[in-house]
Amino acid sequence: MSDKIPVGILGATGAVGQNYINLLENHPWFEVTYLAASPRSAGKAYKDVVESRWLLGANVPERVRDLVVEDANDPSKAVGRCRFVFSALELDSKDEIKALENAYASLGIPVVSNASAHRWTEDVPMLIPEINPDHLAVIDAQRKSHGWDRGFVAVKPNCSIQSYMIPVYALMKAGYEVKRMFVSTMQAVSGAGYPGVPSLDILDNVVPYIGGEEEKTEREPAKIFGKVVGGKIVNFDGLKVAAHCNRVPVINGHVACVSLEFGDKKPSLAEIERIWAEFRGLPQELNLPFAPDRPIIIRHEPNRPQPRRDRDEDKGMAVSVGRLRECPLFDVRFVGLSHNTVRGAAGGGILNAELLKAKGYIA
Ligand code: NAP
């Protein structure tokens, strides 16, 4: 018998769920034992649900092909069949997702979520493990306030902000105040899930609107850079963000053009490069399986990073940056890129779970 931790995937049939299946195939710590999705898929073998819409290569992995998909709306089915779940659910409302994720936690099943429903719950950590692993501390308060013993909910932030949050944090950690950030994103179609944006809307086109995305982009950094005070996360109010979010005809890989304004102390371009090249976080220190060796990869070619060429760097977990230069409006500008369904979704969720295990929250 395997000594890996049995894990479930809620929303296993969707774009993010499929990425979880793929990335967890040979994971050294976790083994997929439980799959759940909508009532439409429940009761069927996984392969029969996803074969015609499998996004990741030729075949649905052997290990999960014949697993029967359960109804994610019935958390009792997961009891005894997995130790924790990844949530990649898309339901009609955030309240429904919150209630369902809480229901799993109340049954002693920790939830590592990709959904946005709980991102603003004060005692739910919104993790980028290189930036705010100290936010795990709110889990004890969360458990206490709900009366949960083993269960809890932890989330990851929006997929597009991953492409620049680590580079910005690295500069803040090195002692540079970042006061204002202007960001314009070009986001891949896989970010909209399956089947996503109709082909006749996106091919030969750019759509300058993604519902809710600009609000998330502007708000989430405040919580990620926040401080734990009395069992809650108190938002950081020292950074103003303005965002434009665009959908572009790329399959995977979100790009962000970012301008930064610093406080009185301003780093030179050479100093920024040095900080980025040397930056490492707790996942690298702990040598977590999904931690990229170098979280930030710097490109010097004038036309990089590009989604097709750079999104898969270090298993899709590294952020690529390039075109670092001065900005005539703010201080500096650069281009960031990350793989939205890996670092920005399933890979990011797996790194969160690895951190939670390493810190003893997932037994
Ligand atoms: P998706 O492709 O639309 O998949 C949605 C999943 O939810 C499917 O497994 C679907 O099951 C299930 N589902 C739908 N209605 C349900 C219901 N009534 N009850 C139970 N399950 C239901 O979406 P996605 O892109 O994978 O996104 C999943 C979540 O991750 C979302 O919350 C999204 O905001 C978030 N996210 C996505 C990305 C990305 O890059 N795509 C990045 C970060 C975060 P059926 O197949 O049976 O319908």
Side-chain angles (χ1 to χ4, degrees), residues 24-39:
L24 288 167
E25 214 186 336
N26 294 306
H27 195 278
W29 299 353
F30 307 137
E31 178 174 43
V32 177
T33 55
Y34 184 79
L35 303 178
S38 78

Side-chain angles (χ1 to χ4, degrees), residues 51-362:
E51 203 123 60
S52 62
R53 52 170 150 131
W54 185 249
L55 299 167
L56 301 164
N59 297 309
V60 180
E62 203 56 47
R63 259 196 57 76
V64 294
R65 288 178 67 77
D66 294 316
L67 276 185
V68 173
V69 179
E70 301 289 354
D71 180 357
N73 299 287
D74 183 356
S76 69
K77 292 240 164 70
V79 175
R81 295 172 65 184
C82 55
R83 199 87 60 76
F84 75 99
V85 291
F86 290 109
S87 167
L89 288 169
E90 184 72 75
L91 304 185
D92 289 340
S93 78
K94 289 192 196 323
D95 286 345
E96 276 181 68
I97 297 189
K98 262 190 195 172
L100 195 49
E101 292 184 342
N102 285 358
Y104 280 84
S106 73
L107 293 175
I109 302 174
V111 179
V112 180
S113 182
N114 289 76
S116 60
H118 262 307
R119 286 187 194 153
W120 288 98
T121 309
E122 286 172 319
D123 58 5
V124 169
M126 176 154 65
L127 299 166
I128 295 181
E130 283 88 348
I131 299 178
N132 58 358
D134 56 309
H135 287 195
L136 293 184
V138 298
I139 289 174
D140 294 334
Q142 186 196 130
R143 281 173 164 162
K144 202 168 159 202
S145 77
H146 288 278
W148 298 337
D149 53 355
R150 292 187 56 249
F152 62 84
V153 179
V155 300
K156 55 164 286 308
N158 186 255
C159 48
S160 71
I161 70 173
Q162 318 278 330
S163 56
Y164 50 87
M165 283 296 280
I166 294 176
V168 169
Y169 171 71
L171 301 174
M172 292 165 71
K173 190 177 173 207
Y176 294 100
E177 183 192 4
V178 180
K179 287 170 65 179
R180 294 199 296 169
M181 174 161 72
F182 176 85
V183 53
S184 189
T185 67
M186 283 144 278
Q187 302 187 207
V189 287
S190 60
Y194 187 89
V197 191
S199 57
L200 286 180
D201 286 345
I202 195 67
L203 293 176
D204 186 32
N205 208 7
V206 167
V207 181
Y209 174 71
I210 305 173
E213 203 76 357
E214 290 178 357
E215 293 79 358
K216 290 178 197 164
T217 304
E218 291 174 357
R219 286 183 69 198
E220 290 184 11
K223 182 168 180 185
I224 294 164
F225 293 145
K227 287 248 166 311
V228 176
V229 180
K232 288 179 179 167
I233 296 158
V234 175
N235 295 336
F236 176 68
D237 63 3
L239 171 65
K240 276 210 159 50
V241 184
H244 292 261
C245 295
N246 306 285
R247 188 71 74 195
V248 296
V250 164
I251 293 178
N252 286 309
H254 288 350
V255 176
C257 296
V258 182
S259 286
L260 300 178
E261 181 183 65
F262 297 105
D264 293 340
K265 197 172 129 201
K266 300 184 193 294
S268 67
L269 298 181
E271 172 71 348
I272 292 174
E273 281 215 12
R274 185 192 63 74
I275 291 166
W276 285 348
E278 290 176 3
F279 177 79
R280 302 290 184 275
L282 188 60
Q284 288 71 35
E285 266 171 47
L286 295 173
N287 207 13
L288 299 178
F290 261 61
D293 294 338
R294 286 178 298 152
I296 305 170
I297 293 180
I298 304 169
R299 306 292 329 185
H300 290 105
E301 303 87 335
N303 61 354
R304 301 280 282 276
Q306 296 177 12
R308 264 198 345 232
R309 298 172 77 172
D310 298 302
R311 64 192 168 206
D312 293 322
E313 278 287 3
D314 211 332
K315 314 174 285 290
M317 291 298 288
V319 173
S320 295
V321 293
R323 304 215 62 223
L324 175 64
R325 61 218 192 276
E326 280 167 7
C327 174
L329 287 180
F330 286 6
D331 290 314
V332 297
R333 54 191 157 154
F334 67 96
V335 178
L337 176 143
S338 70
H339 197 306
N340 58 297
T341 54
V342 182
R343 179 76 200 207
I350 293 170
L351 190 62
N352 284 351
E354 291 172 352
L355 178 69
L356 286 157
K357 178 189 175 292
K359 291 290 176 186
Y361 290 94
I362 292 173

